[in-house]
Amino acid sequence: SSPASRALTHRMRQQTDVMLVGISTVLQDDPELTVRLPKTRRQPLRAVLDSHLDIPLDCKLVRSINIAPLLLFHSKALGPAAKAKAKKLQQLGVELAAVAADQDMLDLRQVLQVLHHKGHYSVMLESGGSLASAFVRSRLADKLILFYGPKLLGGARSAFSDLEVSSIREAVQLDITSARRIGPDLMVTAYPIY
């Protein structure tokens, strides 16, 4: 994405309660997920779906705990090594929340319920295709804001790589409410019709 799209994304982060990513994004990109704008007014809660607490203790999210809070969602069933790591994470200031899981996939509805009970009502995904697909497949995505750069990508790196839609008839219908240029990029705002 372009610098203009990234700046807009930071303004959107500043307006949301929670930035939510999966552990794959953390392991691949080592994001900070903070608002980095001049005169930043507030930082959102950063939340990670991490079934087995695979997050590196020295990643940017943990190292920047003094800038913005971090909440890790993990499976209720943790092994001894993960339980020991949980204690280290808590000592570093990371909040942990155990939720039900089906194999490695955490219960997304429970995740949202925990966030709601903590007073967080606006959740922004900045994730890869697997997590984005899981939210759409579970009918938990209310609004989509998609940025398209002037490049084509396909395969496993597509925005909804795990949606498993094999025909137009099965496709998720969208109500596209706006499309506008942001620098060289295109930003599309749409609402899924479930």
Side-chain angles (χ1 to χ4, degrees):
S1 60
S2 69
S5 292
R6 287 192 296 276
L8 178 57
T9 299
H10 281 274
R11 288 195 298 277
M12 292 166 58
R13 284 180 182 177
Q14 189 167 250
Q15 296 170 356
T16 194
D17 294 335
V18 179
M19 290 296 311
L20 181 64
V21 298
I23 188 60
S24 294
T25 295
V26 175
L27 297 175
Q28 290 173 10
D29 301 339
D30 193 20
E32 195 172 288
L33 298 178
T34 56
V35 178
R36 294 183 297 280
L37 293 173
K39 301 180 185 176
T40 297
R41 293 187 311 268
R42 65 184 286 275
Q43 293 288 349
L45 170 69
R46 298 159 315 151
V48 179
L49 304 180
D50 185 4
S51 299
H52 306 292
L53 295 180
D54 292 324
I55 191 166
L57 293 174
D58 63 345
C59 72
K60 289 179 185 174
L61 287 168
V62 175
R63 288 194 329 256
S64 61
I65 196 81
N66 60 327
I67 297 171
L70 176 60
L71 171 60
L72 297 181
F73 288 96
H74 63 84
S75 170
K76 290 180 179 180
L78 289 179
K83 286 180 183 178
K85 188 172 187 179
K87 288 181 183 177
K88 289 179 186 174
L89 287 162
Q90 288 174 317
Q91 289 169 351
L92 292 169
V94 177
E95 185 178 358
L96 302 176
V99 295
D102 182 9
Q103 296 177 5
D104 284 343
M105 183 54 133
L106 297 176
D107 184 321
L108 298 178
R109 290 184 192 284
Q110 261 190 37
V111 167
L112 293 178
Q113 287 171 349
V114 168
L115 291 171
H116 184 267
H117 288 297
K118 291 181 173 293
H120 302 294
Y121 309 111
S122 170
V123 177
M124 181 173 157
L125 293 181
E126 240 184 71
S127 66
S130 295
L131 186 56
S133 296
F135 266 82
V136 170
R137 189 173 39 256
S138 299
R139 299 179 175 209
L140 295 173
D142 296 325
K143 179 179 182 179
L144 304 175
I145 300 176
L146 307 168
F147 288 88
Y148 295 97
K151 298 175 175 81
L152 292 176
L153 289 174
R157 297 201 46 97
S158 65
F160 298 95
S161 58
D162 291 352
L163 199 52
E164 299 173 4
V165 174
S166 59
S167 71
I168 292 294
R169 202 170 51 246
E170 296 172 2
V172 176
Q173 298 297 308
L174 300 175
D175 177 16
I176 297 174
T177 58
S178 73
R180 67 181 178 127
R181 285 188 72 125
I182 307 293
D185 301 333
L186 177 66
M187 182 181 89
V188 176
T189 303
Y191 294 84
I193 302 169
Y194 297 119

